[in-house]
RNA sequence: GUCCCCGUCGUCUAGCCAGGUCCAGGACACCGGCCUUUCACGCCGGCAGCACGGGUUCGAAUCCCGUCGGGGACGCCA
């Protein structure tokens, strides 16, 4: 990335009303790219005491679904991204779009084009064959009023095209991220704004809606950058004030392809992160860092800190890569995302964590209502103990299953390393169980004493007993301090699991 | 093909506009050590990058030109 663009225009703009929008098209679930766009818009609006408008761009009737609309709203809600107006639906403003097209027709900024799709196709192919760039050849641009009337009378269908100025010069604008962008008039073709069936195109609808919604800042993906000059032409033809444009870099996969629901599936769906046990803020914190930096080395932000630090100037110009490997089970998603989520999982208030873990335990059918009643203290303490190495809420039901149920799996590697290597554990562990059973007061101190004493009697390293016990009582190779674990698990579970060690030799 | 944008460790990035304090800093991942007569956590350390080539300059990651690489846009999709 090169130098930061000038930011003076932003300062001027903040004096008037700040209004942002997030305009998803409901053709699939909310994916992380869309979520990131929403987050940036939300942050900017909030930071500047502005408003965020949610606008569903549902003009593509074939691909838009109610399910998708619900999914998007659901995803935003889960993330905690709030909007101040809407959802508006683009289809409800068809009259505005039509009126805008008519206005441009009247003012001479647009014209009716009677060329058929077939004719255009043929010309496009011819151009391609000759290795030439194809732009609409303006056949209908200079039709006389009489000619137009005749064609219309004959019932020939037409599209409406924008009349791009035939002059030297260019559309110039200052992008808040990419700096000065220029597009020469002669490089812009007379683009279609209304289809032959009377339906206006996205390019038009989008601008008309943004004008009506008084959007002051458009923060969107870099794929919109090339559309911007054409949209600016429409703003000008409609006599509207231009918003500030800020284009953000795209998120690519490891093969540098644009991430999409179609080619990447659930791993890019916001919904997926909820299911695998992300905290909403963990995902937001990860996503916001994908293409933006506060300028210092901070990586974790509270909402207040993020609002304080966020600025369009910190948005990078180069695309970033969402780092995950499809066939590696260790990469259920980008490791950095996991690490950030783990940070929050390990540091939020334990009571809050309890509420987040509950649905996961319920889903795994290892929830007990006593965790909110008589066993609440035990529950909170246990969560606090085991969360140290967990990255997602699901970990509590998998890695942590042994704390809540007896039907847990034992890791193969743990068996190899801590059990079968010492065959005598078949006798030693039940012996240890006897010692624990005999304890009048069963707690981490007495348990430790008993274990160390037994190890000494047997003439073995305490570690052998400790790691063996870890494996049979928790099923895991690693975890918190063993004596605390034994205490939290309780005498009953511990002794019975220790006595059951023989089954691991089967 | 045409137009536009981008290029610092494997990944996210700081540094670039206002050249020297950068034989390039942080984080994740990975590796090693310490701690633990228990794995881990934690702590400490390591690996690894300015795409390439010219130019300007006493001095370039930073400025200029070119090359290469990557991405985006070029629809009666949104």
């Amino acid at each position: 990335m090169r130098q930061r663009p000038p930011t003076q225009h932003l300062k001027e703009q903040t004096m008037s009303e700040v209004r942002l929008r997030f305009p998803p098209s409901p053709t699939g679930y909310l994916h992380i790219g869309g979520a990131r766009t929403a987050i940036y818009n939300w942050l900017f609006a909030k930071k500047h005491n502005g408003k965020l408008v949610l606008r569903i761009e549902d003009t593509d009737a074939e691909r838009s679904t109610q399910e998708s609309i619900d999914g998007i709203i659901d995803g935003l809600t889960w993330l905690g991204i709030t909007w101040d107006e809407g959802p508006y639906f683009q289809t409800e403003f068809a009259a505005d779009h039509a009126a805008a097209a008519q206005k441009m027709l009247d003012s001479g900024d647009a014209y009716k084009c009677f060329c058929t799709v077939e004719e255009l196709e043929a010309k496009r192919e011819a151009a391609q064959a000759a290795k030439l760039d194809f732009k609409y050849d303006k056949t209908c641009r200079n039709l006389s009023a009489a000619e137009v009337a005749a064609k219309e009378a004959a019932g020939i269908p037409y599209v409406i095209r924008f009349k791009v100025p035939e002059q030297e010069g260019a559309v110039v604008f200052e992008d808040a991220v990419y700096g000065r962008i220029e597009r020469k008039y002669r490089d812009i073709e007379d683009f279609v704004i209304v289809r032959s069936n009377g339906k206006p195109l996205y390019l038009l609808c989008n601008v008309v809606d943004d004008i009506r919604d008084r959007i002051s800042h458009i923060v969107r993906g870099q794929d919109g950058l090339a559309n911007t000059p054409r949209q600016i032409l429409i703003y000008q033809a409609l006599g509207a004030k231009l918003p500030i444009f800020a284009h953000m870099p795209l998120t690519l996969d490891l093969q540098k392809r644009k991430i999409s629901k179609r080619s990447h599936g659930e791993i890019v769906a916001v919904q997926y992160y909820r299911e695998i046990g992300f905290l909403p803020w963990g995902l937001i914190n990860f996503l916001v860092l994908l293409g933006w930096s506060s300028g210092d080395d901070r990586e974790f932000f509270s909402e207040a800190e993020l609002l304080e630090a966020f600025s369009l100037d910190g948005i990078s110009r180069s695309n970033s890569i969402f780092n995950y490997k499809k066939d590696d089970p260790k990469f259920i998603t980008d490791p950095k995302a996991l690490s950030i989520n783990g940070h929050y999982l390990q540091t939020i208030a334990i009571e809050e964590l309890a509420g987040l873990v509950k649905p996961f335990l319920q889903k795994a059918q290892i929830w007990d209502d006593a965790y909110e009643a008589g066993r609440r203290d035990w529950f909170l303490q246990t969560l606090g103990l085991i969360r140290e190495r967990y990255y997602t809420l699901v970990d509590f039901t998998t890695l942590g299953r042994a704390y809540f149920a007896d039907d847990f799996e034992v890791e193969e590697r743990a068996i190899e390393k801590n059990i079968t290597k010492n065959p005598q554990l078949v006798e030693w562990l039940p012996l240890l169980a006897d010692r624990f059973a005999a304890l009048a007061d069963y707690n981490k101190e007495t348990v430790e004493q008993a274990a160390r004493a037994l190890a000494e009697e047997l003439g073995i390293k305490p570690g052998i007993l400790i790691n063996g016990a870890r494996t049979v009582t928790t099923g895991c190779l690693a975890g918190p301090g063993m004596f605390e674990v034994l205490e939290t698990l309780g005498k009953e579970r511990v002794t019975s699991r220790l006595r059951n060690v023989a089954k691991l030799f089967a």
Side-chain angles (χ1 to χ4, degrees):
Chain A
M1 182 178 43
R2 278 210 283 255
Q3 72 260 27
R4 309 262 46 131
T7 53
Q8 211 147 348
H9 54 288
L10 288 172
K11 286 174 190 134
E12 290 165 15
Q13 189 69 26
T14 51
M15 297 311 287
S16 58
E17 199 184 9
V18 171
R19 293 172 61 86
L20 287 280
R21 81 324 192 240
F22 177 57
S25 56
T27 55
Y29 46 65
L30 181 64
H31 69 100
I32 54 175
R36 190 173 63 121
T37 305
I39 291 166
Y40 284 16
N41 277 284
W42 173 69
L43 285 172
F44 190 86
K46 254 192 134 168
K47 173 166 182 141
H48 297 282
N49 296 313
K51 298 268 195 286
L52 179 63
V53 176
L54 176 61
R55 192 173 66 221
I56 308 290
E57 307 222 315
D58 56 348
T59 49
D60 187 342
E62 268 110 75
R63 294 196 297 157
S64 298
T65 66
Q66 183 61 42
E67 188 190 358
S68 164
I69 293 170
D70 295 342
I72 288 165
I73 289 177
D74 189 48
L76 292 173
T77 306
W78 176 70
L79 282 169
I81 295 175
T82 52
W83 55 94
D84 305 284
E85 287 180 27
Y88 297 138
F89 293 87
Q90 192 159 59
T91 44
E92 288 172 7
F93 296 97
D96 289 2
H97 308 144
Q102 189 57 49
K103 184 176 175 185
M104 287 189 277
L105 232 29
D106 294 344
S107 65
D109 288 304
Y111 60 93
K112 293 173 180 173
C113 168
F114 297 89
C115 298
T116 65
V117 177
E118 291 73 27
E119 284 166 354
L120 293 172
E121 240 0 274
K123 284 177 183 174
R124 208 187 311 272
E125 270 167 39
Q128 225 155 40
K131 294 204 164 178
L132 289 170
D133 183 36
F134 175 78
K135 273 203 272 311
Y136 177 60
D137 61 6
K138 303 180 180 175
T139 303
C140 300
R141 179 165 168 140
N142 296 310
L143 255 28
S144 69
E147 286 171 310
V148 171
K151 283 176 186 282
E152 270 195 272
I156 302 174
Y158 61 87
V159 298
I160 300 177
R161 286 181 184 274
F162 189 89
K163 196 183 277 182
V164 177
E166 280 181 321
Q167 60 185 52
E168 283 304 302
V171 178
V172 180
F173 69 101
E174 193 73 35
D175 188 272
V177 173
Y178 285 92
R180 183 189 167 90
I181 301 285
E182 266 190 61
R183 187 82 187 271
K184 293 183 186 69
Y185 290 123
R186 77 168 105 91
D187 289 331
I188 308 174
E189 76 168 347
D190 283 355
F191 53 96
V192 176
I193 54 177
V194 178
R195 295 182 181 87
S196 53
N197 66 7
K199 293 245 163 80
L201 254 33
Y202 157 80
L203 211 62
L204 207 219
C205 300
N206 195 248
V207 172
V208 169
D209 292 342
D210 284 338
I211 293 171
R212 184 194 57 250
D213 292 335
R214 307 192 315 284
I215 302 304
S216 63
H217 295 73
I218 293 180
V219 181
R220 67 183 11 163
Q222 193 235 64
D223 45 354
L225 194 56
N227 282 334
T228 306
R230 285 180 294 172
Q231 295 196 312
I232 287 178
L233 254 14
I234 297 177
Y235 271 98
Q236 290 169 339
L238 259 18
K241 188 181 162 205
L242 286 182
I244 301 295
F245 290 96
H247 288 88
M248 43 195 274
L250 268 18
T251 306
L252 274 24
D253 69 10
L254 232 29
Q255 283 74 239
K256 302 244 172 98
R257 291 173 312 181
K258 204 168 138 182
I259 57 165
S260 69
K261 319 161 209 198
R262 246 191 69 192
S263 47
H264 298 87
E266 65 168 2
I267 192 136
V268 302
V270 166
Q271 180 69 32
Y272 171 74
Y273 292 84
R274 166 155 56 175
E275 277 165 19
I276 64 174
F278 263 66
L279 271 34
W281 192 256
L283 219 212
I284 288 184
N285 198 145
F286 166 71
L287 253 18
V288 82
L289 252 21
L290 213 57
W292 172 83
S293 160
S294 60
D296 52 35
D297 289 333
R298 276 185 299 165
E299 314 220 81
F300 300 114
F301 299 85
S302 66
E303 188 177 321
E305 287 167 339
L306 190 53
L307 284 172
E308 166 66 32
F310 187 77
S311 135
L312 262 23
D313 294 333
I315 297 178
S316 159
R317 289 161 133 172
S318 48
N319 294 338
S320 48
I321 291 170
F322 178 65
N323 183 20
Y324 87 103
K325 296 176 183 129
K326 206 171 183 178
D327 301 315
D328 189 340
K330 290 192 102 172
F331 276 75
I332 55 173
T333 184
D334 191 312
K336 188 120 191 179
L338 244 15
S339 139
I340 289 175
N341 195 59
H343 168 84
Y344 287 108
L345 202 65
Q346 291 155 25
T347 53
I348 57 167
I350 207 80
E351 289 78 12
E352 191 184 344
L353 180 66
L356 294 167
V357 170
K358 179 179 176 183
F360 286 86
L361 293 185
Q362 284 175 321
K363 197 173 170 195
Q365 301 190 323
I366 52 177
W367 171 256
D368 183 342
D369 284 336
Y371 297 157
E372 283 178 342
R375 304 245 288 151
R376 179 163 172 83
D377 287 345
W378 175 84
F379 184 59
L380 296 183
Q381 207 187 323
T382 300
L383 292 184
L385 180 67
I386 66 180
R387 71 169 166 175
E388 204 152 286
R389 294 179 61 254
Y390 291 176
Y391 292 101
T392 71
L393 295 168
V394 164
D395 289 341
F396 288 90
T397 70
T398 53
L399 298 172
R401 189 173 179 92
Y403 294 88
F404 308 107
D406 292 315
D407 59 338
F408 58 93
E409 301 271 313
V410 180
E411 281 181 43
E412 204 53 52
R413 279 181 54 223
I415 298 176
E416 284 164 23
K417 202 173 164 193
N418 296 329
I419 301 292
T420 49
K421 244 164 94 178
N422 295 294
Q424 284 175 282
L425 247 14
V426 186
E427 289 146 30
W428 294 342
L429 258 20
L431 212 50
L432 185 61
D434 294 341
R435 299 294 172 93
F436 288 165
L439 256 21
D441 192 10
Y442 179 94
N443 61 48
K444 61 174 187 267
E445 283 85 19
T446 58
V447 155
E448 175 161 10
Q449 277 169 12
R452 292 197 188 281
L454 179 62
E456 201 171 329
E457 284 173 40
L458 294 170
I460 56 173
K461 287 198 291 186
I464 293 176
L465 287 183
I466 293 169
N467 283 329
R470 179 190 303 288
T471 302
V472 299
T473 58
T474 68
C476 294
L477 190 56
M482 197 56 220
F483 303 112
E484 284 174 291
V485 168
L486 293 176
E487 180 182 282
T488 204
L489 246 19
K491 195 198 270 192
E492 306 277 294
R493 272 183 167 155
V494 169
T495 52
S496 99
R497 287 174 190 180
L498 287 174
R499 285 175 176 142
N500 245 322
V501 61
K503 73 172 182 193
L504 294 185
F505 284 95

